[in-house]
Every structure is written in C-alpha cells, then in structure tokens.
Amino acid sequence: MALGQQLDLLLAHLDLATLRTVVLGAAPLLLLWLYLRFFHVPAAERAVCFRWTSPTEIKPDFSSRSLEHPSIHAHLDDPSLLPPQANDTHAYITCYAPASAQHLATIPSLSSTEISERISKAAEAQKSWRNSSWARRRRVLRSLLEWTVREAEDLAKIASRDSGKTIVDAAFGEILTTCEKLRWLIANAEDSLRPDYRPTNLILAHKVSKVVYEPLGVVAACVSWNYPLHNALGPMIASLATGNAIVLKPSELVAWSSLVFAQAVRDCLEACGEDPELVQIVVTLPETVEALTGDPRIEHITFIGSEEVGKKVALKGAEVGTPVLLELGGKDPAVLCPSADIRTFANTWMRAVFQSGGQNCIGTERFIVHSSIYDEFVDTMTRRVSDLKLGDVLASDTAAKRIDVGAMVSGRLFDRLEGLIADAVKAGARCLVGGKRASGVGPGHFFQPTLLVDVTPLMAVAQHEIFAPVMTVMRYETLEEAIELANGTRYGLGASVFGRDQGECRYVMKRLECGMVCSNDFGVFYLNQALPFGGAKASGNGGRFAGAEGLRSLCNIKVVTEDRWHGWIQTTIPPLLAYPITSGRGAWTFVDGLVKLVYGRDLRERASGVWSLLSAK
C-alpha cells in the first residue's frame, strides 16, 4: 500500500474530536519549540542593565560659551578654555559642537608613554578573555544591544551634538547599524568562527584537516568622525566577540562623544563581571599616534578614514609587521537607467546625498542619468534640494522648526569645496542650488545643500571625494557610456543602479568596479551585517570588515591536521624514502608510482603506479 493510501486510511478512521485532540495536544509542543528556538535566552547569556547617565551637554537647558573661531586648537588662542588642572606636559584638544560652536570640553592628548600603558592594560586583560565562553561574550553583546535600544534617543543626541548631524540622520547611520551589528554578532559570531573542516585527499585519507579561528590578542582601530557612535562601537564589539582586547583611536574631531561611548562599553563589561580594561581609548593628536600604530603588541589595525592618512598608518604598521585593514574614500556613483522611476526613488536619492550633510563614505557623489530622463530628474531635484532647511536640531529654539540637514563637522575644507564648484561652473557645469557656505544659520559649520548639473568627467569635482551636501549630475546616452563614467575615478567603494528593467540593472552592476553594489537602493549592503564591507581600487587594500570575513580577519587563522584514527593509523616514512637513502633509483620509482596512482588520468596509468610502488627496491 502506498504511503498516500496509508495516510488516507488513517485519516478516514479519525473522527473530528480525535483530530482536534491531536492538534490541541501538539500545539503546546510546537509553541515550546518555537520559544526555545527563537526567543529563549539561557540565564548565563541574559543581558545586564548597567548604570549609565547621559551627559548634560545634550539636555535642552545646556548652556556653554560659543567659540568665536571654533577648532580643536581654540585653546591655544584662548587659554581660558583649558581645564583647571592643565599642565605644560600635555597637548590638548578643544571639543565643541559643530552646529552651535558651543564649547564641550578641553581634554588632554595622550602622550606616547600613556598610550603604551593602555596597550599593556589591554594585553593583560585579554589573557583571560581569549578563553571566554560564547555565553559570556553574548551576555556582553546583549547588554549593549538592550542599552542601545533603551537609550537610542540620547545616543543619537550625543552623536548629533558632536558631529553636527540631525537626530534622524543619527538614527539611520548610528542606531540602526549598531543594533543590527550587535544582533548579527549575537546570532552568528559563534557559527562564523566554528572550526571549518576541509576536504582531504587520497594521500592524507587517514588525516582530518580543519581551520580554527583563534583570538589575535590586542587589536586597534583608528576610526573617522562621521559616525562617532557606530565607528566606536563597531570595532569594539567585533573585537570582544572574537576574544580580543581593543585600543580605539577616534578622530580628535569627535573626541568628546567617543569618550562617552567607550566609557559606556567599559561600564557594561564591569557590570557583566568582565574586565573593563579589555576596551581602551586613546585620544591623541597625529603627532603621537605612531605610539599606537607602531607598537609591535598590536596584532591588527582597522583604519577608517582618508587615503592620505591611511597610507601613513599602513606604512607604520608594516615596520613592525602589523596587518592593516584600510577602508578609505569613495566617489560612489548612482546609475539611473532609462527605465528608472524618478517619482518612486526621489526620496532615496535625496537621502543618498544629504544624509549626515553628505559626510557618508557610501553616500552617492555622482548621479549618472540617461538623457531621456535627465531633464525630469534635474527639475525634480532642483525643487527638492531648494526646499532643504539647515540648522541645529539640539538648539533650544528649534523644537517647532523643520531641519533637514545639519552642520559639517569642520569648516576647514570650505574654501576647497567652493573652489571645486566654482571651477566646475567655469568649465560648463550649472550650479542650480547652493554652492557656498551658508550664512545666517548660526555660528557653526554649515554649507548650502547644492545641486551641480552638467558635470563632465574632466572636472575635478567629478574625480575627488568631496564629502559634502553636494549632488553632482552627469548625462549619458548608452549603458556602456554610463559604465565608463561610473568606473572613471580612482575609487571603487560602493555603487547603485536604478531601473525597472532588471536585465539592464544587472548588466550595469556586473561591470562596475567596486566592492559593493545594490539595485534600486543606496547603502543597504551595510545594513546587512552578514556582508563584508570594503572597496576596490583606491577605496581600500582588499581587506573587509563586517560579516564572517571581518570577524575572521581579527583572528589567527590556524590550520590543524590530526590523525583520523589516533594511535591506530599513523604516518610513517616508507623505508625507500627514509634517510639515508639506500637506493636513489628505487626511491624515485616509489615516488613516481605514488604520483601515478593518485593523479593518473585513467585506470591504466593508475594501475602502472600500483606496479611501480610494489616493484620499487
């Protein structure tokens, strides 16, 4: 009787009451399985609610003097900005809010000796952490995830205060990405670092081969200023998940918030019963950073920042043999195919450029638009960009105001930016909106949201990363021309392609020279933390962070080969091959037979190999 017939017969003898009883009896078991599979957290891994107090600098009633000439060196012109305990043995960094120019703090830049001491503390703490269980690691990560969700608004305000971005922009680039990285690590870090068993061959059939991923020790991260929360927590949680300790070197432009975030992670470790010295932060000026990047105890360096500085870090690391992962600049293109839907994706394109004031490494810097939709695109973007409002979202008088774009973190490149735009206009481009630093917004670093169209690849603005709220638009006629334009810079970080025709999109995506690309969206590859992040060409050096690849880059990748049947079958050297060699001809005949047996092209050649093995003497 077939299985289907047996099932029909069984169901025919079941009355409705019996069937109901079976279903109701199975339902609790199913619910229990679902709970254990997706929701249950073992006691040893449950999050700990640690004490954290948000800083007063983000409160509505915060008041501080506004700097007349805001910069990290403002204390040199105004010594009253220095802390009461300041001394001549330290250099200092003035921390201020880019949107309001309000003074936040003036903190000491660590000396080479102090940096070395912090590396020593991290190294000592890592000795026990390297053997920590996954339950302990996940407990720390869960605690940080719950904290990030619970304190999301205040964390966004801290990032906003120190970098100038709006709170909504912070929610996208700081909160969402950090939460997703924590979630992914909790769910996948252990599986990503499990021993990886590899296939073997006939010669080594009696062996088992695997790759194991072991902690490196103390790693370092030198990170940029554009996302102070995520750029600080990202490397920290990845290092803790891999059993390492970390020394974080944040940009001096966001030193104030980085210290707040690092202390929160240290407080979390302590609340979980772990050593807070696993996480160190060194706030220092460029003059002394080589005490970190050139220390041989640092086993790996992650660098996020400019190409110029990244090369210096890589060279210093090379002197002591430290591998350096470089995540550098980008000039990301968005190719709009003839079938691109302007009405649907106008909002996406606006955020791709103006989120965080354009200070986004995977922000779109070039729109490459087909001539058939070019005018409609330009008209739509002109209206949208013209309507953007600048401001400080944390100012006491902005509660009822609409603010779309915040401040730039610094105004030191405004002259260069205005020059690039002016040169492009002289060469034939049209600046339809903005193009200059903003006036009348406030004392901070504001640049007008800008729309620059009719840009050509020979213009400097089309070749250099500008990292600003500037939308540049280029026209093309054929997809081959669009691909050539998209690939026509030194950079290759991210890219996007828009269109209703999937075939067109895939045609372009396949031919783009970049590390990451998506269709009908921008930057979403980073919200999926299972994916490795990094670029091609001048945007990186081939390394990746995030995903399993990123975790494994923080590990010593150790190959282990051991006996399959330990003590029973072991490798021995055949007498003909043992030193001293008694017969050179016999040794060769044996090896030649082995090669033919294992790698011969057909049965006849392999049989001859067996004969050579048996007849060798």
Side-chain angles (χ1 to χ4, degrees):
M1 184 183 294
L3 179 61
Q5 292 175 314
Q6 292 176 345
L7 185 60
D8 289 340
L9 184 62
L10 176 63
L11 292 175
H13 287 81
L14 281 178
D15 56 25
L16 187 60
T18 304
L19 185 61
R20 185 185 298 113
T21 301
V22 171
V23 171
L24 291 177
L29 295 177
L30 177 61
L31 291 173
L32 178 61
W33 179 85
L34 290 171
Y35 169 75
L36 293 174
R37 177 67 177 82
F38 296 106
F39 299 103
H40 175 68
V41 177
E45 299 184 20
R46 290 174 189 164
V48 174
C49 183
F50 59 94
R51 179 177 298 178
W52 181 77
T53 303
S54 59
T56 59
E57 288 84 354
I58 65 170
K59 306 301 181 185
D61 58 351
F62 171 68
S63 177
S64 179
R65 61 184 293 189
S66 292
L67 305 182
E68 185 176 355
H69 301 290
S71 83
I72 62 171
H73 302 297
H75 59 278
L76 298 178
D77 297 324
D78 185 358
S80 68
L81 295 172
L82 290 167
Q85 68 275 20
N87 56 64
D88 296 334
T89 62
H90 269 107
Y92 286 85
I93 298 169
T94 299
C95 304
Y96 66 94
S100 65
Q102 288 177 292
H103 181 238
L104 299 175
T106 303
I107 60 177
S109 170
L110 296 187
S111 66
S112 297
T113 300
E114 290 170 320
I115 293 172
S116 180
E117 290 172 352
R118 298 201 177 188
I119 296 173
S120 296
K121 292 179 180 178
E124 185 62 30
Q126 195 270 339
K127 290 178 181 178
S128 60
W129 182 249
R130 69 176 292 114
N131 297 316
S132 58
S133 67
W134 281 107
R136 289 169 60 188
R137 298 181 194 183
R138 281 193 287 263
R139 187 184 197 195
V140 173
L141 297 175
R142 279 197 172 91
S143 301
L144 287 172
L145 177 56
E146 288 196 4
W147 169 73
T148 305
V149 173
R150 184 174 62 250
E151 305 292 348
E153 183 174 356
D154 281 357
L155 294 175
K157 288 180 178 179
I158 294 170
S160 173
R161 179 68 81 191
D162 210 18
S163 68
K165 68 184 62 168
T166 68
I167 298 176
V168 172
D169 287 350
F172 274 99
E174 308 273 15
I175 305 301
L176 276 174
T177 51
T178 300
C179 287
E180 177 55 24
K181 191 175 188 75
L182 284 162
R183 185 210 64 80
W184 186 85
L185 287 170
I186 292 167
N188 299 285
E190 183 177 7
D191 286 341
S192 298
L193 301 181
R194 286 188 193 280
D196 184 7
Y197 287 86
R198 302 295 175 88
T200 186
N201 52 60
L202 182 60
I203 296 176
L204 295 176
H206 63 297
K207 297 287 187 181
V208 176
S209 299
K210 62 183 177 181
V211 178
V212 296
Y213 304 96
E214 299 178 337
L216 284 173
V218 181
V219 299
C222 302
V223 296
S224 59
W225 42 261
N226 53 334
Y227 288 102
L229 171 66
H230 183 71
N231 286 350
L233 261 64
M236 289 183 193
I237 58 181
S239 68
L240 292 173
T242 49
N244 294 306
I246 185 171
V247 181
L248 178 78
K249 193 279 174 189
S251 167
E252 53 271 27
L253 294 174
V254 289
W256 171 75
S257 61
S258 299
L259 286 167
V260 173
F261 300 140
Q263 186 56 51
V265 177
R266 288 170 61 89
D267 291 344
C268 175
L269 284 165
E270 190 168 19
C272 292
E274 308 297 349
D275 192 342
E277 304 297 350
L278 285 165
V279 169
Q280 301 290 331
I281 181 169
V282 294
V283 175
T284 186
L285 292 167
E287 292 78 15
T288 51
V289 74
E290 289 188 352
L292 173 65
T293 58
D295 193 303
R297 294 172 294 176
I298 299 296
E299 301 289 351
H300 181 279
I301 299 173
T302 298
F303 175 84
I304 304 173
S306 70
E307 183 180 356
E308 177 187 4
V309 178
K311 287 180 177 178
K312 293 178 180 178
V313 172
L315 287 172
K316 193 64 184 178
E319 291 180 7
V320 292
T322 303
V324 179
L325 185 158
L326 297 177
E327 195 277 283
L328 305 174
K331 191 71 179 172
D332 288 12
V335 177
L336 276 59
C337 296
S339 60
D341 188 336
I342 293 178
R343 177 176 295 182
T344 297
F345 293 111
N347 290 335
T348 301
W349 297 329
M350 290 291 290
R351 183 154 290 281
V353 178
F354 298 106
Q355 179 171 308
S356 296
Q359 301 165 118
N360 184 358
C361 60
I362 52 174
T364 303
E365 295 217 356
R366 295 174 295 150
F367 282 84
I368 301 170
V369 184
H370 190 263
S371 59
S372 63
I373 59 172
Y374 188 88
D375 290 340
E376 182 185 357
F377 175 85
V378 171
D379 289 344
T380 300
M381 292 299 107
T382 300
R383 293 193 302 271
R384 298 292 299 272
V385 178
S386 299
D387 195 39
L388 293 176
K389 304 297 182 184
L390 291 167
D392 175 11
V393 294
L394 296 182
S396 58
D397 61 346
T398 58
K401 296 180 181 179
R402 173 171 65 86
I403 295 176
D404 304 298
V405 182
M408 306 280 282
V409 76
S410 170
R412 66 185 180 87
L413 296 179
F414 280 4
D415 289 340
R416 171 181 172 272
L417 184 56
E418 289 176 338
L420 287 171
I421 295 170
D423 289 345
V425 171
K426 289 178 183 177
R430 293 180 293 148
C431 185
L432 301 182
V433 183
K436 298 181 180 296
R437 68 195 74 195
S439 59
V441 180
H445 308 304
F446 292 96
F447 197 89
Q448 295 173 345
T450 298
L451 177 61
L452 188 67
V453 305
D454 299 346
V455 174
T456 66
L458 295 179
M459 297 175 183
V461 74
Q463 296 296 322
H464 298 287
E465 182 181 39
I466 54 178
F467 229 56
V470 178
M471 176 181 284
T472 61
V473 188
M474 311 171 81
R475 185 196 303 262
Y476 77 92
E477 298 295 337
T478 67
L479 290 181
E480 284 70 23
E481 182 187 359
I483 293 165
E484 184 179 356
L485 288 171
N487 292 334
T489 73
R490 299 176 61 252
Y491 300 104
L493 188 55
S496 54
V497 182
F498 291 84
R500 291 191 184 95
D501 188 326
Q502 189 176 53
E504 282 185 337
C505 290
R506 286 182 172 175
Y507 180 86
V508 176
M509 291 168 71
K510 184 177 180 179
R511 290 160 176 79
L512 294 182
E513 299 167 353
C514 58
M516 302 164 290
V517 63
C518 59
S519 64
N520 291 329
D521 219 319
F522 109 92
V524 290
F525 30 72
Y526 194 56
L527 191 56
N528 182 354
Q529 284 290 311
L531 298 175
F533 185 95
K537 299 164 68 173
S539 292
N541 61 348
R544 297 290 188 269
F545 62 82
E549 293 84 352
L551 286 183
R552 291 170 182 174
S553 74
L554 298 174
C555 296
N556 173 42
I557 301 177
K558 180 189 285 185
V559 169
V560 177
T561 302
E562 55 190 350
D563 292 332
R564 190 180 300 273
W565 299 285
H566 193 83
W568 291 89
I569 299 178
Q570 301 178 106
T571 303
T572 58
I573 301 297
L576 280 172
L577 304 181
Y579 290 120
I581 300 294
T582 57
S583 171
R585 187 60 192 171
W588 170 252
T589 301
F590 186 93
V591 173
D592 184 57
L594 181 63
V595 171
K596 289 177 178 176
L597 169 63
V598 178
Y599 304 108
R601 66 179 180 180
D602 53 27
L603 186 60
R604 181 178 178 180
E605 190 169 17
R606 295 192 179 202
S608 71
V610 174
W611 175 251
S612 296
L613 287 172
L614 295 175
S615 62
K617 56 184 174 183

